[in-house]
Amino acid sequence: MAAEAVEAVFREERGLLLASLVRRFGDLDLAEEVTSEAIEAALRHWPAEGVPARPGAWLLTTARRRAVDRLRRDQAYAARLAVLAADAERAEPAPAPDVSGSGQGFGSGSGFGSDELPDERLQLFFTCAHPALAAEDRTALTLRCLAGLTTPEVARAFLVPTATMAQRIVRAKKKIREARIPFRVPGPDELPGRLPGVLQVVYSVFTEGYAASSGPRLQRLDLAEEAIRLARILRRLLPAERESAGLLALLLLVHARRDARTGPEGEPVLLEDQDRGRWDRPMIEEGRALVVRALTGGPAGPYGVQAAIAALHDEATDVAATDWPQIVALYDVLRTLTPSPVVEVNRAVAVAMRDGPGAGLALLDALAGEPRLRAYPPYAVARGDLLGRLGRDGEAAAAYREALELTGTEPERAALRRKLGDRKPGE
């Protein structure tokens, strides 16, 4: 039970714990190391002494002591951190924002100070979105270190091998050290340039929660709900940014289907088979209102467009009644805003619903040479489904077997085995 308690606390509070330590000591590697040491200490002490009343505070106190001990032993390390701290102090602090919900946000040149952000994790999301880092490195570092995703989970988000992602994360940390990038809150003039990276991080956290890359469950609701909470903070802090409204709308409209996405045994339930009466209607209505805000006042951004697609799904009484022509048109817009093979796969599926499986399959087959799709199970699953609808069962089975090799969660693997007629005992 103590090990389970440590795991639960670590899962829930790791990001905040790490952010607090980075803010205190100014070094990400040190924060990660002493966080791991605090977890190891908890695994030793809690079974004998019991789980403390405030386990998160216990871990933070332990980690801080370990960090202080490390700095006392390593004077060179402490001197380097002192230089970073001096750099941070020389940076002019920004004034506090209005987070009262009055809608004033960051207008009139206001920004936010390091003590005013409602969540230290969000502060570090902005800090790690520093322009000195490559765009993909910024997102990868933040997902791994601050959002608590594992390196394989981050690799899945980017459709790259785990080893490649590990190198990116190491490279980003090295750049922070060598460029002496201070862990501080950006000023108001820096916020627009860093916001897209922060939105991407929150979206990637949600994506891992919506469809876990590995493990016994299809969904990780803790991650999805954490992403929604952070998106709400972003929306409150930046009310004039339409893409913050678009992101929150997208997360709400997708998360509204959570209870209908799995069956009694945790198996995945396809959109066409879901009980739409189990969808969260108040969440859908909130998301729809935010879509209007995201699409009003100028050209739409990618999150606003994706939210509009999700709204069309949520508004339909069933799959047949879904406005597939409008969804395809929105994907046409999205592919110009953020071209990617994943967008093309989703568009191909929508075209199949509008024009028939043959039309969708032709689009998917045209993507066969895209290297990033070789590790993307939904591509193989989509091909298998369309091949099956065309009566090409042998080819469909081959596509499902390819997806089975790539799929990480057991519920999805079990569903693919059922498609192949290769059930394990008890399935």
Coordinates of all heavy atoms in Angstrom, one line a residue, residues 256-326:
A256 N -15.7 15.4 -23.1 CA -17.1 15.2 -22.8 C -17.5 13.8 -23.1 O -18.5 13.3 -22.6 CB -17.9 16.2 -23.6
R257 N -16.8 13.1 -24.0 CA -17.1 11.7 -24.4 C -16.5 10.6 -23.6 O -16.6 9.5 -23.8 CB -16.8 11.5 -25.9 CG -17.2 12.6 -26.8 CD -16.6 12.4 -28.2 NE -16.6 13.6 -29.0 CZ -15.7 13.9 -29.9 NH1 -14.7 13.0 -30.1 NH2 -15.7 15.0 -30.5
R258 N -15.8 11.0 -22.5 CA -14.9 10.1 -21.8 C -15.6 8.9 -21.3 O -15.1 7.8 -21.4 CB -14.2 10.8 -20.6 CG -15.2 11.4 -19.6 CD -14.5 12.4 -18.7 NE -15.5 12.9 -17.7 CZ -16.4 13.8 -17.9 NH1 -16.5 14.3 -19.1 NH2 -17.2 14.2 -17.0
D259 N -16.8 9.0 -20.7 CA -17.5 7.9 -20.1 C -18.0 6.9 -21.1 O -18.3 5.7 -20.8 CB -18.7 8.4 -19.3 CG -18.3 9.2 -18.0 OD1 -17.1 9.0 -17.6 OD2 -19.1 10.0 -17.5
A260 N -18.2 7.3 -22.4 CA -18.7 6.5 -23.4 C -17.6 5.8 -24.2 O -17.9 5.0 -25.1 CB -19.7 7.2 -24.3
R261 N -16.4 6.2 -24.0 CA -15.3 5.8 -24.9 C -14.8 4.4 -24.5 O -14.0 3.8 -25.3 CB -14.1 6.8 -24.8 CG -14.4 8.1 -25.5 CD -13.1 8.9 -25.7 NE -12.1 8.2 -26.5 CZ -10.9 7.9 -26.1 NH1 -10.5 8.3 -24.8 NH2 -10.1 7.3 -26.8
T262 N -15.1 3.9 -23.4 CA -14.7 2.5 -23.0 C -15.9 1.7 -22.5 O -16.9 2.3 -22.0 CB -13.6 2.6 -21.8 OG1 -14.2 3.3 -20.7 CG2 -12.4 3.3 -22.3
G263 N -15.8 0.4 -22.7 CA -16.8 -0.5 -22.3 C -16.6 -1.0 -20.8 O -15.7 -0.5 -20.1
P264 N -17.5 -1.9 -20.4 CA -17.4 -2.4 -19.0 C -16.0 -3.0 -18.6 O -15.6 -2.9 -17.4 CB -18.5 -3.5 -19.0 CG -19.4 -3.2 -20.1 CD -18.6 -2.5 -21.2
E265 N -15.3 -3.6 -19.5 CA -14.0 -4.1 -19.3 C -12.9 -3.2 -19.7 O -11.7 -3.7 -19.7 CB -13.9 -5.5 -20.0 CG -15.0 -6.5 -19.7 CD -15.0 -6.8 -18.2 OE1 -13.9 -6.9 -17.6 OE2 -16.1 -7.0 -17.6
G266 N -13.2 -2.0 -19.9 CA -12.1 -1.0 -20.3 C -11.8 -1.0 -21.8 O -10.9 -0.3 -22.2
E267 N -12.5 -1.8 -22.6 CA -12.3 -1.9 -24.0 C -12.7 -0.6 -24.7 O -13.6 0.1 -24.3 CB -13.0 -3.1 -24.6 CG -14.5 -3.0 -24.7 CD -15.3 -3.3 -23.4 OE1 -14.6 -3.5 -22.4 OE2 -16.5 -3.5 -23.5
P268 N -12.0 -0.3 -25.8 CA -12.3 1.0 -26.5 C -13.7 0.8 -27.3 O -14.0 -0.3 -27.8 CB -11.2 1.1 -27.5 CG -10.6 -0.2 -27.7 CD -10.8 -0.9 -26.4
V269 N -14.5 1.9 -27.3 CA -15.7 1.9 -28.0 C -15.6 3.0 -29.0 O -15.3 4.1 -28.7 CB -16.9 2.2 -27.0 CG1 -18.2 2.3 -27.8 CG2 -17.0 1.2 -25.9
L270 N -15.8 2.6 -30.3 CA -15.7 3.5 -31.4 C -16.8 4.6 -31.3 O -17.8 4.4 -30.8 CB -15.8 2.8 -32.7 CG -14.7 1.7 -33.0 CD1 -15.0 1.0 -34.3 CD2 -13.3 2.4 -33.0
L271 N -16.5 5.8 -31.9 CA -17.4 6.9 -31.9 C -18.8 6.5 -32.4 O -19.8 6.8 -31.8 CB -16.8 8.0 -32.8 CG -17.6 9.3 -32.8 CD1 -17.7 10.0 -31.4 CD2 -17.1 10.3 -33.8
E272 N -18.8 5.7 -33.5 CA -20.1 5.3 -34.1 C -20.9 4.4 -33.1 O -22.1 4.3 -33.3 CB -19.9 4.6 -35.4 CG -19.1 3.3 -35.3 CD -18.5 2.8 -36.6 OE1 -17.7 3.5 -37.2 OE2 -19.0 1.8 -37.1
D273 N -20.3 3.7 -32.2 CA -20.9 2.8 -31.3 C -21.2 3.4 -29.9 O -21.8 2.7 -29.0 CB -20.1 1.5 -31.1 CG -19.9 0.8 -32.5 OD1 -20.9 0.8 -33.3 OD2 -18.9 0.3 -32.7
Q274 N -20.8 4.6 -29.7 CA -20.9 5.2 -28.3 C -22.3 5.6 -28.0 O -23.1 6.0 -28.9 CB -20.0 6.4 -28.2 CG -18.5 6.0 -28.2 CD -17.6 7.3 -28.1 OE1 -18.0 8.4 -27.7 NE2 -16.3 7.1 -28.4
D275 N -22.7 5.4 -26.7 CA -23.9 5.8 -26.2 C -23.9 7.3 -25.9 O -23.3 7.8 -25.0 CB -24.3 5.1 -24.9 CG -25.6 5.6 -24.3 OD1 -26.2 6.4 -24.8 OD2 -25.9 5.0 -23.2
R276 N -24.4 8.1 -26.9 CA -24.2 9.6 -26.8 C -25.0 10.2 -25.6 O -24.8 11.3 -25.3 CB -24.6 10.2 -28.1 CG -23.7 9.7 -29.2 CD -24.0 10.4 -30.6 NE -23.0 9.8 -31.5 CZ -22.4 10.5 -32.5 NH1 -22.7 11.7 -32.7 NH2 -21.5 9.9 -33.3
G277 N -25.9 9.4 -25.0 CA -26.6 9.8 -23.8 C -25.7 9.9 -22.6 O -26.0 10.6 -21.6
R278 N -24.5 9.3 -22.7 CA -23.5 9.3 -21.6 C -22.5 10.5 -21.8 O -21.7 10.7 -21.0 CB -22.7 8.0 -21.6 CG -23.6 6.8 -21.3 CD -22.8 5.6 -21.2 NE -21.9 5.6 -20.0 CZ -20.9 4.8 -19.8 NH1 -20.6 3.9 -20.7 NH2 -20.1 4.9 -18.8
W279 N -22.6 11.2 -22.9 CA -21.7 12.4 -23.1 C -22.1 13.5 -22.1 O -23.3 13.6 -21.8 CB -21.8 12.9 -24.5 CG -21.2 11.9 -25.6 CD1 -20.6 10.7 -25.3 CD2 -21.1 12.1 -27.0 NE1 -20.1 10.2 -26.5 CE2 -20.4 11.0 -27.5 CE3 -21.5 13.1 -27.8 CZ2 -20.2 10.9 -28.9 CZ3 -21.3 13.0 -29.2 CH2 -20.6 11.9 -29.7
D280 N -21.1 14.2 -21.7 CA -21.3 15.3 -20.7 C -21.8 16.5 -21.4 O -21.1 17.3 -22.0 CB -19.9 15.6 -20.1 CG -20.0 16.5 -18.9 OD1 -20.9 17.4 -18.9 OD2 -19.2 16.4 -18.0
R281 N -23.1 16.7 -21.4 CA -23.8 17.8 -22.1 C -23.4 19.2 -21.6 O -23.1 20.1 -22.4 CB -25.3 17.7 -22.1 CG -25.8 16.5 -23.0 CD -25.4 16.8 -24.4 NE -25.4 15.5 -25.2 CZ -25.1 15.4 -26.5 NH1 -24.7 16.5 -27.1 NH2 -25.1 14.3 -27.2
P282 N -23.3 19.5 -20.3 CA -22.8 20.8 -19.8 C -21.4 21.1 -20.3 O -21.1 22.2 -20.7 CB -22.9 20.7 -18.3 CG -23.9 19.7 -18.0 CD -23.8 18.7 -19.1
M283 N -20.5 20.1 -20.4 CA -19.2 20.3 -20.9 C -19.2 20.6 -22.4 O -18.5 21.5 -22.9 CB -18.3 19.1 -20.6 CG -16.9 19.3 -20.9 SD -15.8 17.9 -20.3 CE -15.7 18.2 -18.6
I284 N -20.1 20.0 -23.1 CA -20.2 20.2 -24.5 C -20.7 21.7 -24.8 O -20.2 22.4 -25.6 CB -21.2 19.2 -25.2 CG1 -20.5 17.8 -25.2 CG2 -21.6 19.7 -26.6 CD1 -21.5 16.7 -25.7
E285 N -21.7 22.1 -24.0 CA -22.2 23.4 -24.2 C -21.2 24.5 -23.8 O -21.1 25.5 -24.5 CB -23.5 23.7 -23.3 CG -24.7 22.8 -23.7 CD -25.0 23.1 -25.2 OE1 -25.1 24.2 -25.7 OE2 -25.2 22.1 -26.0
E286 N -20.4 24.3 -22.8 CA -19.3 25.2 -22.5 C -18.3 25.2 -23.6 O -17.8 26.3 -24.0 CB -18.6 24.8 -21.2 CG -17.5 25.7 -20.8 CD -16.7 25.2 -19.6 OE1 -17.0 24.2 -19.0 OE2 -15.8 26.0 -19.1
G287 N -18.0 24.1 -24.2 CA -17.0 24.0 -25.3 C -17.6 24.7 -26.5 O -16.8 25.4 -27.2
R288 N -18.8 24.5 -26.8 CA -19.4 25.2 -28.0 C -19.4 26.7 -27.9 O -19.1 27.4 -28.9 CB -20.9 24.7 -28.2 CG -21.0 23.2 -28.6 CD -22.4 22.8 -28.7 NE -23.1 23.6 -29.8 CZ -24.5 23.6 -29.9 NH1 -25.2 22.9 -29.1 NH2 -25.0 24.3 -30.9
A289 N -19.6 27.2 -26.7 CA -19.6 28.7 -26.5 C -18.1 29.2 -26.7 O -17.9 30.3 -27.3 CB -20.1 29.0 -25.1
L290 N -17.2 28.4 -26.3 CA -15.8 28.8 -26.5 C -15.4 28.7 -28.0 O -14.5 29.5 -28.4 CB -14.9 27.9 -25.6 CG -14.9 28.2 -24.1 CD1 -14.2 27.1 -23.4 CD2 -14.1 29.5 -23.8
V291 N -16.0 27.8 -28.7 CA -15.7 27.7 -30.2 C -16.1 29.0 -30.8 O -15.3 29.5 -31.7 CB -16.4 26.5 -30.8 CG1 -16.3 26.6 -32.3 CG2 -15.8 25.2 -30.3
V292 N -17.2 29.5 -30.5 CA -17.6 30.8 -31.1 C -16.6 31.9 -30.8 O -16.3 32.7 -31.7 CB -19.0 31.2 -30.5 CG1 -19.4 32.6 -31.0 CG2 -20.1 30.2 -30.9
R293 N -16.1 32.0 -29.6 CA -15.1 33.0 -29.2 C -13.8 32.7 -30.0 O -13.2 33.7 -30.5 CB -14.8 32.9 -27.7 CG -13.6 33.8 -27.3 CD -14.0 35.2 -27.4 NE -12.8 36.1 -27.1 CZ -12.0 36.5 -28.1 NH1 -12.2 36.2 -29.4 NH2 -11.0 37.3 -27.8
A294 N -13.4 31.5 -30.2 CA -12.2 31.1 -30.9 C -12.2 31.5 -32.3 O -11.2 31.8 -33.0 CB -11.8 29.7 -30.7
L295 N -13.4 31.4 -33.0 CA -13.6 31.6 -34.4 C -14.0 33.0 -34.7 O -14.2 33.3 -35.9 CB -14.5 30.6 -35.0 CG -14.2 29.1 -34.8 CD1 -15.2 28.2 -35.5 CD2 -12.8 28.8 -35.4
T296 N -14.2 33.9 -33.8 CA -14.7 35.3 -34.0 C -13.6 36.3 -33.8 O -12.8 36.2 -32.9 CB -15.8 35.6 -33.0 OG1 -16.8 34.6 -33.1 CG2 -16.4 37.0 -33.2
G297 N -13.5 37.2 -34.8 CA -12.6 38.3 -34.6 C -11.3 38.2 -35.5 O -10.4 39.0 -35.2
G298 N -11.2 37.3 -36.4 CA -10.0 37.2 -37.2 C -9.8 35.8 -37.7 O -10.7 34.9 -37.5
P299 N -8.8 35.5 -38.5 CA -8.5 34.2 -39.0 C -8.5 33.1 -37.9 O -7.9 33.4 -36.8 CB -7.2 34.3 -39.7 CG -7.0 35.8 -40.0 CD -7.7 36.5 -38.9
A300 N -9.0 32.0 -38.1 CA -9.0 30.9 -37.1 C -7.7 30.3 -36.9 O -6.9 30.3 -37.9 CB -10.0 29.8 -37.5
G301 N -7.4 29.9 -35.7 CA -6.1 29.2 -35.4 C -6.4 27.7 -35.4 O -7.5 27.2 -35.4
P302 N -5.3 26.9 -35.3 CA -5.5 25.4 -35.4 C -6.3 24.8 -34.3 O -7.1 23.9 -34.6 CB -4.0 24.9 -35.4 CG -3.2 26.0 -34.9 CD -3.9 27.3 -35.3
Y303 N -6.2 25.4 -33.1 CA -7.0 24.8 -32.0 C -8.5 25.1 -32.2 O -9.4 24.3 -31.9 CB -6.5 25.2 -30.6 CG -5.1 24.7 -30.3 CD1 -4.0 25.6 -30.3 CD2 -4.9 23.3 -30.2 CE1 -2.8 25.1 -30.0 CE2 -3.7 22.8 -29.9 CZ -2.6 23.7 -29.9 OH -1.3 23.2 -29.6
G304 N -8.8 26.4 -32.6 CA -10.1 26.7 -32.9 C -10.8 25.9 -34.0 O -11.9 25.5 -33.9
V305 N -10.0 25.6 -35.0 CA -10.5 24.7 -36.1 C -10.8 23.3 -35.6 O -11.8 22.7 -35.9 CB -9.6 24.7 -37.3 CG1 -10.0 23.7 -38.4 CG2 -9.5 26.1 -37.9
Q306 N -9.8 22.8 -34.8 CA -10.0 21.4 -34.3 C -11.2 21.4 -33.4 O -12.0 20.4 -33.3 CB -8.8 21.0 -33.6 CG -7.6 20.7 -34.5 CD -6.4 20.3 -33.7 OE1 -6.2 19.1 -33.3 NE2 -5.5 21.2 -33.5
A307 N -11.4 22.5 -32.6 CA -12.6 22.5 -31.7 C -13.9 22.5 -32.5 O -14.9 21.9 -32.1 CB -12.5 23.7 -30.8
A308 N -13.9 23.2 -33.6 CA -15.1 23.3 -34.5 C -15.4 21.9 -35.0 O -16.6 21.5 -35.1 CB -14.9 24.3 -35.6
I309 N -14.4 21.1 -35.3 CA -14.6 19.7 -35.8 C -15.2 18.9 -34.7 O -16.2 18.1 -34.9 CB -13.3 19.1 -36.3 CG1 -12.8 19.8 -37.5 CG2 -13.4 17.6 -36.5 CD1 -11.4 19.4 -38.0
A310 N -14.6 19.0 -33.5 CA -15.1 18.3 -32.3 C -16.6 18.7 -32.0 O -17.4 17.8 -31.6 CB -14.2 18.5 -31.1
A311 N -16.9 19.9 -32.2 CA -18.3 20.4 -31.9 C -19.2 19.8 -32.9 O -20.4 19.4 -32.5 CB -18.3 21.9 -32.0
L312 N -18.9 19.6 -34.1 CA -19.7 19.0 -35.1 C -20.0 17.5 -34.8 O -21.1 17.0 -34.9 CB -19.1 19.1 -36.5 CG -19.1 20.5 -37.2 CD1 -18.3 20.5 -38.4 CD2 -20.6 20.9 -37.4
H313 N -19.0 16.8 -34.3 CA -19.2 15.5 -33.8 C -20.2 15.4 -32.6 O -21.1 14.6 -32.6 CB -17.9 14.8 -33.4 CG -17.0 14.4 -34.5 ND1 -17.4 13.5 -35.4 CD2 -15.8 14.8 -34.9 CE1 -16.4 13.3 -36.3 NE2 -15.4 14.1 -36.0
D314 N -20.0 16.4 -31.7 CA -20.8 16.3 -30.4 C -22.2 16.8 -30.7 O -23.1 16.4 -29.9 CB -20.1 17.2 -29.4 CG -18.8 16.7 -28.8 OD1 -18.4 15.6 -29.3 OD2 -18.2 17.3 -27.9
E315 N -22.4 17.6 -31.7 CA -23.8 18.1 -32.0 C -24.7 17.0 -32.7 O -25.9 17.1 -32.7 CB -23.7 19.3 -32.8 CG -23.1 20.5 -32.1 CD -22.7 21.7 -33.0 OE1 -22.9 21.5 -34.2 OE2 -22.3 22.7 -32.5
A316 N -24.0 16.1 -33.4 CA -24.8 15.1 -34.2 C -25.4 14.1 -33.3 O -24.9 13.6 -32.3 CB -23.8 14.4 -35.2
T317 N -26.6 13.6 -33.7 CA -27.3 12.6 -33.0 C -26.7 11.2 -33.2 O -26.9 10.3 -32.4 CB -28.8 12.6 -33.4 OG1 -28.9 12.4 -34.8 CG2 -29.5 13.9 -33.0
D318 N -26.1 11.0 -34.3 CA -25.4 9.8 -34.6 C -24.4 10.0 -35.7 O -24.3 11.1 -36.3 CB -26.3 8.6 -34.9 CG -27.3 9.0 -36.1 OD1 -26.8 9.6 -37.1 OD2 -28.4 8.5 -36.1
V319 N -23.6 9.0 -36.1 CA -22.6 9.1 -37.1 C -23.2 9.5 -38.4 O -22.6 10.4 -39.2 CB -21.7 7.9 -37.2 CG1 -20.8 7.9 -38.4 CG2 -20.9 7.7 -35.9
A320 N -24.3 8.9 -38.8 CA -24.9 9.2 -40.1 C -25.4 10.6 -40.2 O -25.4 11.2 -41.3 CB -26.1 8.2 -40.3
A321 N -25.8 11.2 -39.1 CA -26.3 12.6 -39.1 C -25.2 13.6 -39.0 O -25.4 14.8 -39.0 CB -27.3 12.8 -37.9
T322 N -23.9 13.2 -38.9 CA -22.8 14.1 -38.7 C -22.6 14.8 -40.0 O -22.7 14.3 -41.1 CB -21.5 13.3 -38.3 OG1 -21.8 12.6 -37.1 CG2 -20.3 14.2 -38.1
D323 N -22.2 16.1 -39.9 CA -22.0 16.9 -41.1 C -20.6 16.7 -41.7 O -19.7 17.5 -41.5 CB -22.2 18.4 -40.7 CG -22.2 19.3 -42.0 OD1 -21.8 18.9 -43.1 OD2 -22.5 20.5 -41.8
W324 N -20.4 15.5 -42.3 CA -19.1 15.2 -42.8 C -18.5 16.1 -43.9 O -17.3 16.4 -43.9 CB -19.1 13.7 -43.4 CG -19.4 12.7 -42.3 CD1 -20.5 12.0 -42.0 CD2 -18.4 12.4 -41.3 NE1 -20.3 11.2 -40.9 CE2 -19.1 11.4 -40.4 CE3 -17.1 12.8 -40.9 CZ2 -18.4 10.8 -39.3 CZ3 -16.5 12.2 -39.8 CH2 -17.2 11.3 -39.1
P325 N -19.4 16.7 -44.8 CA -18.8 17.7 -45.7 C -18.2 18.9 -45.0 O -17.1 19.3 -45.4 CB -20.0 18.1 -46.6 CG -20.9 16.9 -46.5 CD -20.8 16.3 -45.2
Q326 N -18.8 19.3 -43.9 CA -18.3 20.5 -43.2 C -17.0 20.0 -42.5 O -16.0 20.8 -42.4 CB -19.3 21.0 -42.2 CG -18.8 22.2 -41.4 CD -18.6 23.4 -42.2 OE1 -19.0 23.5 -43.4 NE2 -17.8 24.4 -41.7

